[in-house]
Amino acid sequence: MGLALLAAVLVLLAGRAWIGRRLIAGVLIVAGVLAAILGGFDPVGAGALVVALALTFWPRGEDEGHWGGWLGLIGLVLLAGALAQAAAPEAAHLLIWPGLAAALAAAASALIGARLTRRAALAPPVVAAVLVGGWLLGYGHGIFLGVGMDLPGALGLIALLLAMLARPLAPAAPSARGTLAAAAGAVLLLGCGLSLAGRAAEPPPAADAVVVP
């Protein structure tokens, strides 16, 4: 699960426009079908797949630059935080505080250099990624200990928040984005291989003991 989430973060940093929306949608569909075959049909997972496919093709073109992808992720997190505040207020802070930190970093970067070409303009997101990202990693460890063994997909929220913080730090050069895309594919394949190997090596359940009176 950790490798799959790392691959997702690398894909967000590389950008959908460079990798190809159809390729990403195909990978999502294959992953959803395999998950249904191996683990059974899950309505929550199916709904998440539909949302992911919709977001893969929309919006078009606005996320190719740093600002489009960064502000889009911030808006998505803050919207999710508002919905969480209405449904589960005790968990909303996990979305709202990182979203506000990223918004403040974006405002500071815009004041320093709106083109994000100066190193000083990237200082606010670096600080936010280090401080808030460290807090999120510690929080994610608690989430994994609480529900991760039974529901490891819950860590996807931590990956989304980390990607939001690190999005403006993604390289703009096509060669660097290609490297990120290749790394995402390699990490995803490694994660799938380890998962399949784990299922194959899992010992069969012990037979029920028969007590003879």
Side-chain angles (χ1 to χ4, degrees):
M1 177 57 65
L3 290 173
L5 295 178
L6 176 59
V9 172
L10 291 175
V11 168
L12 287 174
L13 293 180
R16 298 175 300 176
W18 198 94
I19 297 176
R21 299 170 188 262
R22 293 183 180 180
L23 176 59
I24 296 176
V27 172
L28 289 173
I29 292 174
V30 171
V33 172
L34 288 177
I37 293 175
L38 297 176
F41 177 76
D42 180 14
V44 177
L49 175 61
V50 172
V51 173
L53 290 174
L55 292 177
T56 300
F57 291 99
W58 181 87
R60 301 189 63 86
E62 289 84 355
D63 65 336
E64 295 180 3
H66 286 306
W67 281 113
W70 193 12
L71 296 180
L73 285 172
I74 294 174
L76 177 63
V77 168
L78 290 179
L79 176 61
L83 296 176
Q85 182 65 35
E90 64 278 2
H93 71 283
L94 183 59
L95 291 163
I96 293 177
W97 284 117
L100 290 178
L104 289 175
S109 295
L111 291 175
I112 296 173
R115 295 183 180 274
L116 296 180
T117 54
R118 297 169 53 191
R119 292 185 177 180
L122 295 177
V126 168
V127 173
V130 172
L131 296 181
V132 183
W135 176 75
L136 287 172
L137 289 176
Y139 209 99
H141 178 67
I143 293 177
F144 179 77
L145 293 178
V147 299
M149 296 299 293
D150 298 324
L151 189 62
L155 295 177
L157 177 61
I158 303 298
L160 173 63
L161 297 175
L162 292 175
M164 172 193 65
L165 295 169
R167 181 60 178 83
L169 305 178
S175 59
R177 292 198 172 195
T179 302
L180 287 177
V187 170
L188 182 59
L189 290 176
L190 177 60
C192 292
L194 290 176
S195 179
L196 293 175
R199 291 183 63 88
E202 182 180 2
D208 295 336
V210 179
V211 178
V212 179

